[in-house]
Amino acid sequence: MSNFLSAAQFLPLSVGDALQVLVACAAAVGFLVLFKPLLRGLALAAVLLVKPKLTKEQRLQRRQMRDAAMLKRMMNSHKASPSEAAELQALASRA
């Protein structure tokens, strides 16, 4: 019991202060839970301001460039047999 009393002497919070902190934390958590969809939408809007989405054409162009680069890497790999290389060249010519 003396350990508890000596520890309580060093704590600057009383029971009332601790209760106030607990109520404030509960109110903050309740606020976040209640307005979670609104806060999520605001965060998404902020992200879109910084980094806007690409247009459909830009996404298509990036995909085609990525596919062409992948085909080129596959063609240049040393493991490809001649028949696979010819097939990859045909695919690359269509891309």
Side-chain angles (χ1 to χ4, degrees), residues 40-69:
R40 188 177 285 172
L42 290 173
L44 180 61
V47 167
L48 288 176
L49 278 174
V50 175
K51 185 182 174 190
K53 285 187 175 180
L54 297 175
T55 63
K56 206 176 231 185
E57 292 82 20
Q58 289 172 328
R59 289 190 305 241
L60 178 64
Q61 186 179 12
R62 275 198 181 174
R63 189 179 317 117
Q64 287 174 343
M65 289 179 66
R66 187 179 59 236
D67 292 346

Side-chain angles (χ1 to χ4, degrees), residues 9-10 12 14 33 38-39 45-46 54 63 65 82 85 90:
Q9 291 173 353
F10 294 111
S14 67
V33 169
L38 176 65
L39 296 172
L54 297 175
R63 189 179 317 117
M65 289 179 66

Side-chain angles (χ1 to χ4, degrees), residues 9-23:
Q9 291 173 353
F10 294 111
L11 292 176
L13 293 177
S14 67
V15 174
D17 292 339
L19 189 59
Q20 267 186 332
V21 169
L22 184 65
V23 168

Side-chain angles (χ1 to χ4, degrees), residues 1-12:
M1 191 71 164
S2 65
N3 289 338
F4 177 72
L5 291 176
S6 63
Q9 291 173 353
F10 294 111
L11 292 176

